[in-house]
Amino acid sequence: MPERARTSSAHISPSAHYTGYVWYRHRLADPAFVTGFGRFVHKLLWPVTWGARAGFGLDIEALLLQRHLQIDAQLRAAIEQGGVRQVVEIACGLSPRGRRFCTRYPHLQYLEADLPAMAARKRLLLHGEGWLDGRHQVCAVDILAERGNQRLAALFAELDHSQPVVVITEGLVNYFPLALIEGFWSRLAAELRGFSQGIYLTELYPDLHEHPRYRQLRWGVELIGRLTRGSYPLHYRDHAEIVAGFQRCGFDQVQVLDPSADAVSLGLPATRLPGLVRVIQAQV
């Protein structure tokens, strides 16, 4: 069976429940973002996450917070210093970012997008809390679609192309083989070229063979793959490969950030081990 036919984005949504509960635990989300399934999975995994933290110094929730808060920091800078007024968060899941940023910046247009079932659930959640309005919306998208009304071009069609835009994906790209995700990045870069300025924020977990906890990281990656009913490939080996990969996909400027180096400024405890997650800011 061809790679494209075997690979689907539909297996991603279950992990959104877990991260939604993590955001709530750390006071980044309202109680409405918590699901019973997310609470259950968090409790189920607690012995595993505790053991990884106590035995190997690997804190799964710290990694999630590092990436989330680093993306927040880059988005704030784009809004406050770059004049960005429209944001698209793809694979939004149960992310509370749209709610928080729309509250903080009343002028912001925020479009959340996900697969149809997850988008419908998110739309119902936000509507039920009275948080949806003309500037905060949810729609369906499939990042692998190259035609139809769920493709990227349809997602961006109603935005103001004369203004800058920031696109965010969080907790998405490492669920796909590199060839497929680079295909998405190439289509995204092409769409962003239609705007006065296009900024893309995402995170990825490089294949850091030199990391002192590499063996435990690979074990954790296999566990994540089983829990989300898919693989969890690690992309690129270092900063140079990351920059080259994004430039190959059509991005002109690529910045690779290690959130562990900025932990204190992000409001997190300082870390002793090198970071495992990278946040990418790519521009066209």
Side-chain angles (χ1 to χ4, degrees):
M1 183 180 295
E3 181 77 14
R4 175 63 178 85
R6 288 202 314 268
T7 306
S8 167
S9 47
H11 66 272
I12 296 175
S13 292
S15 63
H17 297 271
Y18 176 82
T19 55
Y21 186 67
V22 171
W23 307 148
Y24 168 72
R25 266 176 43 83
H26 294 275
R27 301 182 180 181
L28 292 171
D30 294 280
F33 289 92
V34 177
T35 67
F37 181 66
R39 194 185 299 271
F40 167 76
V41 172
H42 188 274
K43 183 176 181 180
L44 181 68
L45 291 179
W46 180 253
V48 177
T49 57
W50 180 87
R53 184 169 57 251
F56 308 117
L58 293 176
D59 191 329
I60 294 174
E61 291 194 24
L63 289 176
L64 294 175
L65 290 169
Q66 285 176 7
R67 80 184 196 196
H68 195 77
L69 294 175
Q70 184 74 73
I71 291 174
D72 279 0
Q74 302 309 116
L75 179 56
R76 283 196 303 272
I79 294 169
E80 296 175 4
Q81 302 168 25
V84 167
R85 292 175 174 265
Q86 49 188 358
V87 179
V88 179
E89 184 168 1
I90 299 173
C92 60
L94 293 171
S95 167
R97 183 177 286 114
R99 161 68 174 161
R100 288 190 285 108
F101 274 79
C102 282
T103 300
R104 181 167 181 169
Y105 302 102
H107 63 281
L108 196 63
Q109 297 283 330
Y110 206 103
L111 178 60
E112 303 196 44
D114 211 316
L115 291 166
M118 195 69 214
R121 180 170 192 147
K122 188 66 169 291
R123 188 182 303 111
L124 185 63
L125 184 160
L126 296 175
H127 178 74
E129 297 294 323
W131 295 334
L132 279 187
D133 54 32
R135 64 188 186 91
H136 188 183
Q137 295 293 322
V138 182
C139 65
V141 71
D142 184 343
I143 67 163
L144 302 183
E146 298 183 20
R147 58 181 61 87
N149 60 7
Q150 293 176 19
R151 71 192 192 284
L152 286 179
L155 178 66
F156 293 118
E158 300 303 317
L159 298 180
D160 185 349
H161 285 62
S162 70
Q163 297 294 322
V165 65
V166 171
V167 176
I168 298 169
T169 62
E170 181 180 7
L172 173 71
V173 301
N174 279 101
Y175 285 100
F176 296 98
L178 183 58
L180 275 183
I181 206 63
E182 285 193 343
F184 160 64
W185 287 336
S186 297
R187 292 191 298 275
L188 177 60
E191 291 295 330
L192 291 180
R193 288 197 179 278
F195 292 84
S196 63
Q197 182 185 24
I199 301 173
Y200 174 48
L201 297 172
T202 192
E203 103 290 344
L204 54 79
Y205 295 87
D207 198 6
L208 301 173
H209 288 266
E210 74 283 0
H211 196 280
R213 293 291 183 264
Y214 179 75
R215 183 178 300 177
Q216 291 79 19
L217 171 63
R218 292 301 316 181
W219 175 82
V221 163
E222 294 298 324
L223 175 63
I224 291 171
R226 292 190 182 97
L227 291 172
T228 55
R229 306 195 302 274
S231 63
Y232 201 79
L234 302 179
H235 303 321
Y236 310 120
R237 294 175 63 113
D238 54 34
H239 286 203
E241 284 193 8
I242 294 171
V243 171
F246 277 84
Q247 289 179 337
R248 187 166 57 246
C249 293
F251 291 96
D252 302 314
Q253 302 175 41
V254 184
Q255 184 179 8
V256 182
L257 303 167
D258 180 353
S260 69
D262 297 325
V264 175
S265 65
L266 296 174
L268 298 171
T271 60
R272 291 178 297 174
L273 288 173
L276 291 169
V277 64
R278 299 292 182 268
V279 168
I280 316 303
Q281 178 166 307
Q283 297 180 234
V284 299

